[in-house]
Amino acid sequence: MLFKDRRFAGQVLAKELAAYTNRPDVVVLGLPRGGVPVAFEVAEALNAPLDVLVVRKLGVPDQEELAMGAIASGGVRIVNEYIISLVKVSDEVIARVALQEERELERRERLYRGNRPLRDLQGRTVILVDDGLATGATMWAAIVAVRKQQPAQIVIAVPVAAPETCQELETEVDKIVCVSTPSPFHSVGLWYENFPQTTDEEVCDLLAKTAKNGEAISFGM
């Protein structure tokens, strides 16, 4: 399946999540930046609050698209030992990349959240939304971050994903919804007609629009 753009993909995804509509316990968290336009459509359709969970991939130096791990809000860091061993990345390099990405994570949190108060996710059904899953590194970090808050359920929802990544993640959450799992997968962008980089301005605009339409939440540890 080829999606027209992220907003359209979110509308399609929302139909697969119809069972969560108008449930007071549901919270939708988009993974910025590309996951936010998708999550916006999901939250609107489900009549659920929306916010962001900031995650950052730890890319291998000179091969940034190859994830050797990821970080997420709340001081979460995960590493892919197989990739680290394969490309022979030192602890010093991992620490340097992580520090750089932590600074960007903090910048985005300040920009997207401002001074809004934090909100506990304990006992909630949390739907984690991204625009797609390749290796799933950032989604792994998001799961760890949300699990620390002891939610009632964690649901992963994406328009498209590598089939092996879906299989790996489905044992870590209560439910995973992937509209399409093409093989061979290659990359998320291949499954969109229009896949421009989502900007900070777009993320802020969508969060502001959500706040005007209803309750907006903030994610915290």
Side-chain angles (χ1 to χ4, degrees), residues 74-151:
V76 170
R77 182 197 296 185
I78 64 165
V79 294
N80 186 323
E81 297 291 352
Y82 171 75
I83 294 296
I84 290 171
S85 175
L86 183 66
V87 298
K88 297 179 173 57
V89 182
S90 68
D91 291 343
E92 291 76 12
V93 169
I94 296 171
R96 175 168 53 81
V97 173
L99 179 59
Q100 177 181 334
E101 295 301 338
E102 284 164 6
R103 289 170 178 163
E104 175 61 14
L105 185 146
E106 292 169 358
R107 183 194 71 83
R108 292 190 182 193
E109 285 189 325
R110 289 193 300 270
L111 179 62
Y112 301 156
R113 183 160 296 113
N115 295 319
R116 284 185 290 146
L118 304 179
R119 179 167 176 171
D120 192 359
L121 296 177
Q122 185 174 5
R124 307 296 292 270
T125 294
V126 179
I127 302 179
L128 289 168
V129 179
D130 206 350
D131 54 12
L133 296 175
T135 65
T138 52
M139 186 61 78
W140 279 103
I143 292 168
V144 173
V146 171
R147 191 179 287 145
K148 289 172 66 175
Q149 286 219 50
Q150 300 180 323

Side-chain angles (χ1 to χ4, degrees), residues 11-218:
Q11 295 165 14
V12 175
L13 182 59
K15 294 177 182 178
E16 301 293 323
L17 297 164
Y20 298 95
T21 304
N22 294 321
R23 280 180 42 174
D25 64 313
V26 170
V27 173
V28 177
L29 294 179
L31 274 57
R33 289 183 288 204
V36 176
V38 183
F40 176 83
E41 297 296 335
V42 170
E44 289 287 292
L46 301 187
N47 191 30
L50 167 71
D51 203 1
V52 294
L53 170 53
V54 184
V55 292
R56 294 290 296 168
K57 178 175 63 179
L58 302 180
V60 174
D62 301 322
Q63 302 180 65
E64 281 74 17
E65 291 304 312
L66 181 60
M68 59 182 177
I71 59 173
S73 297
V76 170
R77 182 197 296 185
I78 64 165
V79 294
N80 186 323
E81 297 291 352
Y82 171 75
I83 294 296
I84 290 171
S85 175
L86 183 66
V87 298
K88 297 179 173 57
V89 182
S90 68
D91 291 343
E92 291 76 12
V93 169
I94 296 171
R96 175 168 53 81
V97 173
L99 179 59
Q100 177 181 334
E101 295 301 338
E102 284 164 6
R103 289 170 178 163
E104 175 61 14
L105 185 146
E106 292 169 358
R107 183 194 71 83
R108 292 190 182 193
E109 285 189 325
R110 289 193 300 270
L111 179 62
Y112 301 156
R113 183 160 296 113
N115 295 319
R116 284 185 290 146
L118 304 179
R119 179 167 176 171
D120 192 359
L121 296 177
Q122 185 174 5
R124 307 296 292 270
T125 294
V126 179
I127 302 179
L128 289 168
V129 179
D130 206 350
D131 54 12
L133 296 175
T135 65
T138 52
M139 186 61 78
W140 279 103
I143 292 168
V144 173
V146 171
R147 191 179 287 145
K148 289 172 66 175
Q149 286 219 50
Q150 300 180 323
Q153 287 189 312
I154 300 177
V155 178
I156 293 173
V158 293
V160 64
E164 60 272 16
T165 301
C166 274
Q167 291 170 7
E168 291 170 359
L169 287 170
E170 66 183 357
T171 60
E172 300 298 317
V173 295
D174 298 281
K175 185 177 180 64
I176 182 166
V177 178
C178 300
V179 176
S180 179
T181 54
S183 182
F185 183 78
H186 297 304
S187 70
V188 173
L190 286 179
W191 306 102
Y192 286 82
E193 293 179 16
N194 300 299
F195 197 68
Q197 185 176 32
T198 304
T199 65
D200 285 335
E201 290 74 17
E202 289 177 84
V203 172
C204 292
D205 287 346
L206 290 172
L207 292 175
K209 186 174 181 180
T210 299
K212 289 179 181 178
N213 291 346
E215 181 187 18
I217 70 155
S218 287

